[in-house]
Amino acid sequence: MKEVFQGFDAPDLLVGLGAPDDAAVWRLDDDRALVVTTDFFTPVVDDPYDYGAIAAANSLSDVYAMGGVPFLALNVAALPPDLPPEISAEILRGGAEKAREAGVVVAGGHTVQDKEPKFGLIALGFVDPRRAFTKAGLKVGDALVLTKPLGFGVTTTALKQDKVRPEDLAEVVGWMKRLNVGAAELGRTFEVRGATDVTGFSLLGHAQEMAAASGVQVRIAFEAVPLTAGATHYARQYIFPGGAHDNRAHFGPQVTFEGQFEDWEQLLLFDPQTSGGLLLGVAADRLGAFMAQAQADGQAAWVVGGVEAGSGVRVARDQVG
Ligand code: CO
Ligand code: CO
């Protein structure tokens, strides 16, 4: 394996394991590269259709996070042998309909038996290799824009603990099912170079990855970070998934909190997200036009911070600029 990963000369592999990103990128010619990614996970909600749709939106998100346009996918499924066939069918239907919404053809796939269900897609897309978004593309002076709120981890954990309020769950399911297609389109229009999607490593974890890859410092303004309606309700009760604590243990040493923060406020920024939004570095002189276009498109977008010289992540209560 070592030979293949470290010694294999693959000049057309533009993004691979050398500098891990949201997806691998393989150059086809000067104008086109293939974006390849896969993701699958255990159910985050009880409804099988919603689960399939969320898993598909999440899998396609890594193509959007590279600035790509997905076109083809395969199902990856592990299903318990005693799962009623109508439930399995609903999971796959949720995935297929979400793929269709994205203009993606699901051309096949593979299913194995397993005790706990798992579902996702292998997704392929195209990107202009000169215009791909990477985690290394942030520039000092960029504004950081986030396109979905935080609070998915605490809310789905509240569901697992039978403590969720139905309206909070409905809100979060709606966000998790939403494709990042519009956010990626905006990023291409305004020539974004630095981007990722906020998923399991949390806002601060993914921000730290981008800061390290780009050789910059990321600044986050806590009061500017959008939260779902129930996020603080569950965070105050410490209804966090284990991953929030793992993220803080792993990424915390590179994060500085300036000013007064409650412990649960800090932990909320480490909350793992499923099918979260894109985090985009937008050039300061294009930010006004970017936000105006987002509003015109009905695309959610919040300026949550910026990029400056240095390293790591610093979080203040306010001061976006
Ligand atoms: Co990603
Ligand atoms: Co992923």
Side-chain angles (χ1 to χ4, degrees), residues 38-84:
T38 185
D39 215 333
F40 53 94
F41 47 66
T42 55
V44 287
V45 293
D46 296 332
D47 183 281
Y49 180 90
D50 284 343
Y51 165 47
I54 291 165
N58 179 74
S59 299
L60 297 171
S61 178
D62 277 326
V63 177
Y64 295 127
M66 300 304 293
V69 177
F71 66 97
L72 187 64
L74 303 173
N75 287 321
V76 181
L79 299 169
D82 57 351
L83 193 71

Side-chain angles (χ1 to χ4, degrees), residues 100-293:
R100 193 176 312 145
E101 180 189 331
V104 169
V105 177
V106 178
H110 188 66
T111 304
V112 296
Q113 292 190 350
D114 200 354
K115 283 200 286 284
E116 196 175 11
K118 291 162 197 80
F119 176 68
L121 304 176
I122 295 165
L124 278 77
F126 287 119
V127 71
D128 179 337
R130 292 158 301 207
R131 308 186 66 179
F133 311 162
T134 69
K135 292 179 183 176
L138 292 183
K139 295 273 182 297
V140 171
D142 282 356
L144 274 181
V145 174
L146 180 65
T147 66
K148 292 185 189 180
L150 304 185
F152 305 171
V154 288
T155 306
T156 55
T157 301
L159 169 68
K160 289 190 179 114
Q161 296 182 8
D162 284 325
K163 291 173 184 163
V164 78
R165 302 182 300 206
E167 65 274 22
D168 294 338
L169 183 62
E171 181 194 1
V172 163
V173 167
W175 281 114
M176 291 191 295
K177 284 163 72 171
R178 193 174 296 198
L179 292 167
N180 281 328
V181 57
E185 178 66 41
L186 268 174
R188 284 190 296 273
T189 302
F190 291 90
E191 300 187 331
V192 161
R193 287 293 175 270
T196 194
D197 56 342
V198 175
T199 53
F201 290 160
S202 75
L203 175 64
L204 293 186
H206 289 288
Q208 163 57 24
E209 282 188 332
M210 294 186 80
S214 300
V216 297
Q217 181 171 69
V218 164
R219 183 179 74 244
I220 299 287
F222 180 77
E223 307 288 1
V225 175
L227 301 173
T228 61
T232 57
H233 174 75
Y234 304 117
R236 283 172 191 275
Q237 301 174 67
Y238 277 86
I239 302 175
F240 281 100
H245 300 279
D246 296 344
N247 285 336
R248 180 155 72 174
H250 186 74
F251 296 104
Q254 282 80 246
V255 177
T256 309
F257 285 89
E258 297 172 352
Q260 292 293 313
F261 282 91
E262 301 289 338
D263 185 66
W264 61 262
E265 290 178 325
Q266 297 189 12
L267 204 46
L268 193 50
L269 298 181
F270 289 108
D271 186 42
Q273 306 296 290
T274 297
S275 192
L278 295 193
L279 185 61
L280 303 153
V282 180
D285 59 358
R286 294 184 181 141
L287 181 64
F290 180 102
M291 295 301 283
Q293 189 64 49

